[in-house]
Amino acid sequence: MSSHHIVRDEQEPAIIIADIQNEYWSAIDQLLGWVPTVIVDEDCIEEVLLRGIKIDVAVCKPSNLLSIQQQLLDQHPVIILSKIDGDTISTSIDYLTKKGYHGVNIFRAFDLEKSLLANQQINSIWYDLKHRYVMSKKRAFKKWIVAHQTFCLLSTTPDQGYIVSNAKEISPQSYQSLKDGVITVDSNADFWIGEPY
């Protein structure tokens, strides 16, 4: 499938593959077209390699460092990082910010606490099984979408309020557009908006 062996540009958002799910691959393949830096958790390495993807950075437990080095011999050059407090996301974000990256695409179940910490350091987009989450840092969001498209809003503060146009709430945090056209969301704090991908 996808393979890349080109010099990286820190302006291009990196990819962190911290979990493997079949639903992720079409989005990952699209992002690989931009030749990003690819960071992979040790538990995902085998499947990523089977897909022919060049791994730039691997994140593993310190006790697995030597075996991961052996597994990635033909990926040279590759950087291997020891997990900080056993956490792939924070280890990867720390590495990317020190290297001057401005953005990252993260593939893993959405975690509100980790997402807020990550976004304090670097612009991040999260992909889970159903949604692509983008942070609205202007407390507002506006986008043209088709009728009946669903999206979700995740708050960053307790008791956060929303004013949403051209959409109705169908369950807590989930909305559906009423007709083709622009939806707008205004809030009293930053929020995550999740759209199907």
Side-chain angles (χ1 to χ4, degrees):
M1 282 217 177
S2 303
S3 180
H4 57 282
H5 293 271
I6 306 174
V7 175
R8 304 297 183 275
D9 178 1
E10 286 75 17
Q11 300 303 314
E12 192 59 50
I15 295 176
I16 299 172
I17 302 174
D19 183 29
I20 289 286
Q21 300 293 334
N22 286 333
E23 290 85 351
Y24 295 161
W25 288 114
S26 106
I28 290 171
D29 286 340
Q30 286 179 20
L31 292 170
L32 288 174
W34 296 97
V35 196
T37 296
V38 176
I39 302 175
V40 181
D41 179 82
E42 62 185 320
D43 293 334
C44 306
I45 288 173
E46 189 172 330
E47 190 161 345
V48 170
L49 291 176
L50 285 172
R51 290 181 173 266
I53 298 169
K54 166 71 174 87
I55 296 172
D56 301 299
V57 181
V59 184
C60 66
K61 295 175 188 165
S63 58
N64 295 339
L65 193 63
L66 289 176
S67 64
I68 297 298
Q69 283 176 334
Q70 289 297 314
Q71 187 177 8
L72 296 176
L73 277 176
D74 66 346
Q75 293 287 300
H76 187 76
V78 63
I79 294 165
I80 301 176
L81 304 174
S82 292
K83 290 184 184 182
I84 300 169
D85 298 326
D87 183 40
T88 296
I89 302 295
S90 59
T91 303
S92 302
I93 298 294
D94 184 61
Y95 169 80
L96 292 170
T97 53
K98 285 177 179 172
K99 291 291 186 180
Y101 285 78
H102 301 288
V104 64
N105 293 286
I106 301 170
F107 289 85
R108 200 200 112 167
F110 186 81
D111 180 311
L112 187 59
E113 184 180 334
K114 285 186 191 303
S115 70
L116 292 173
L117 290 171
N119 238 29
Q120 290 173 3
Q121 297 177 272
I122 191 171
N123 290 325
S124 58
I125 297 173
W126 286 66
Y127 292 80
D128 70 8
L129 292 179
K130 297 181 180 177
H131 295 94
R132 175 183 178 266
Y133 294 93
V134 178
M135 169 71 79
S136 171
K137 293 184 177 180
K138 297 179 180 177
R139 301 180 179 192
F141 179 83
K142 182 186 255 186
K143 183 177 181 180
W144 191 96
I145 63 175
V146 297
H148 311 298
Q149 180 175 320
T150 59
F151 61 95
C152 59
L153 302 174
L154 300 179
S155 302
T156 59
T157 62
D159 303 320
Q160 188 164 345
Y162 298 98
I163 299 170
V164 182
S165 69
N166 188 27
K168 64 179 179 181
E169 189 170 13
I170 54 176
S171 65
Q173 302 179 324
S174 293
Y175 295 79
Q176 185 177 61
S177 58
L178 299 173
K179 60 185 179 184
D180 289 358
V182 175
I183 59 155
T184 60
V185 181
D186 291 289
S187 184
N188 58 335
D190 296 347
F191 59 90
W192 288 96
I193 183 155
E195 298 179 86
Y197 65 93

